[in-house]
């Protein structure tokens, strides 16, 4: 099978024998993608026994910043934790179900508290509905640690309340 590096890390492939090849992605304007390299020799991957722990959703909060809304959570400080992955969800107005609408990958763990900006495009696409996030921890060394399970969901970011307040302020002008 063919996997990208991100697939290999994020899909938690089982122990086994693997090969790889690489290519450079062009910018789509000035440069084309390079040709694929030759296939590597086989290498043996052994899935590590140690698994990282997902962030505690009790630490989750939404923050309003100058440039939008940010999901924030406490980093565990766990040895081997190198990055976070965040997935965004919205509550579908018709079905009432949570639907995934993107994510942010490879957020380096640099502080005791981490955050990721909810992209404007998501808000524009889905409108004033409740938004949620969940997080998992990616190891800095995939030969020593497995990726964490997903955390539970955050509380909702109620964008309808914000929209109603802004509309009222505009009406009051």
């Amino acid at each position: 099978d063919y996997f990208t590096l991100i697939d290999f890390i994020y899909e938690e492939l089982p122990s086994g024998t693997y090969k790889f090849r690489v290519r450079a992605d062009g910018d789509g304007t000035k440069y084309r993608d390079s040709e694929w390299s030759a296939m590597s020799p086989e290498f043996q991957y052994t899935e590590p026994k140690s698994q990282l722990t997902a962030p505690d959703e009790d630490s989750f909060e939404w923050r309003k910043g100058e440039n939008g809304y940010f999901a924030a959570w406490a980093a565990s400080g766990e040895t081997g934790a190198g990055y976070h992955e965040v997935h965004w969800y919205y509550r579908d107005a018709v079905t009432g179900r949570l639907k995934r609408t993107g994510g942010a990958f490879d957020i380096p763990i640099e502080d005791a508290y981490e955050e990721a900006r909810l992209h404007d495009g998501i808000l524009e696409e889905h409108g004033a509905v409740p938004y949620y996030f969940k997080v998992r921890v990616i190891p800095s060394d995939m030969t020593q640690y497995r990726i964490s399970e997903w955390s539970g969901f955050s509380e909702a970011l109620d964008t309808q309340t914000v929209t109603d307040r802004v509309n009222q302020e505009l009406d009051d002008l």
Side-chain angles (χ1 to χ4, degrees):
D1 286 331
Y2 164 76
F3 296 99
T4 66
L5 177 59
I6 289 175
D7 291 334
F8 196 87
I9 295 169
Y10 287 89
E11 295 302 321
E12 303 178 75
L13 294 176
S15 296
T17 303
Y18 293 90
K19 292 181 179 185
F20 66 91
R21 59 187 184 157
V22 297
R23 75 173 184 181
D25 289 336
D27 64 5
T29 305
K30 191 174 180 182
Y31 299 100
R32 294 183 303 127
D33 294 347
S34 74
E35 298 295 323
W36 282 101
S37 71
M39 195 62 76
S40 75
E42 290 185 348
F43 72 96
Q44 184 66 36
Y45 171 71
T46 303
E47 185 179 31
K49 300 217 180 305
S50 298
Q51 183 173 25
L52 297 172
T53 304
D56 183 357
E57 58 266 15
D58 289 341
S59 73
F60 290 2
E61 64 179 328
W62 287 98
R63 295 181 180 171
K64 174 72 171 103
E66 222 175 272
N67 298 324
Y69 292 99
F70 292 82
W73 63 92
S76 69
E78 185 175 16
T79 300
Y83 303 90
H84 285 118
E85 176 185 5
V86 177
H87 281 183
W88 307 107
Y89 293 81
Y90 69 98
R91 180 145 332 261
D92 184 89
V94 176
T95 66
R97 293 193 175 139
L98 290 181
K99 291 187 174 182
R100 182 167 168 228
T101 184
F105 301 87
D106 296 335
I107 301 167
I109 298 174
E110 297 172 341
D111 298 310
Y113 224 76
E114 300 296 329
E115 62 183 28
R117 185 171 178 268
L118 179 61
H119 306 291
D120 291 339
I122 291 172
L123 295 166
E124 291 168 6
E125 180 179 350
H126 304 294
V129 296
Y131 292 91
Y132 303 82
F133 68 92
K134 65 181 181 178
V135 184
R136 68 179 177 173
V137 180
I138 310 302
S140 55
D141 182 350
M142 63 185 237
T143 66
Q144 298 296 312
Y145 301 94
R146 291 193 331 266
I147 203 166
S148 78
E149 298 290 330
W150 281 101
S151 68
F153 285 100
S154 69
E155 295 292 323
L157 168 63
D158 184 1
T159 56
Q160 184 61 53
T161 300
V162 174
T163 302
D164 291 344
R165 187 179 70 240
V166 169
N167 287 340
Q168 184 60 49
E169 289 174 9
L170 290 172
D171 289 345
D172 291 345
L173 291 177

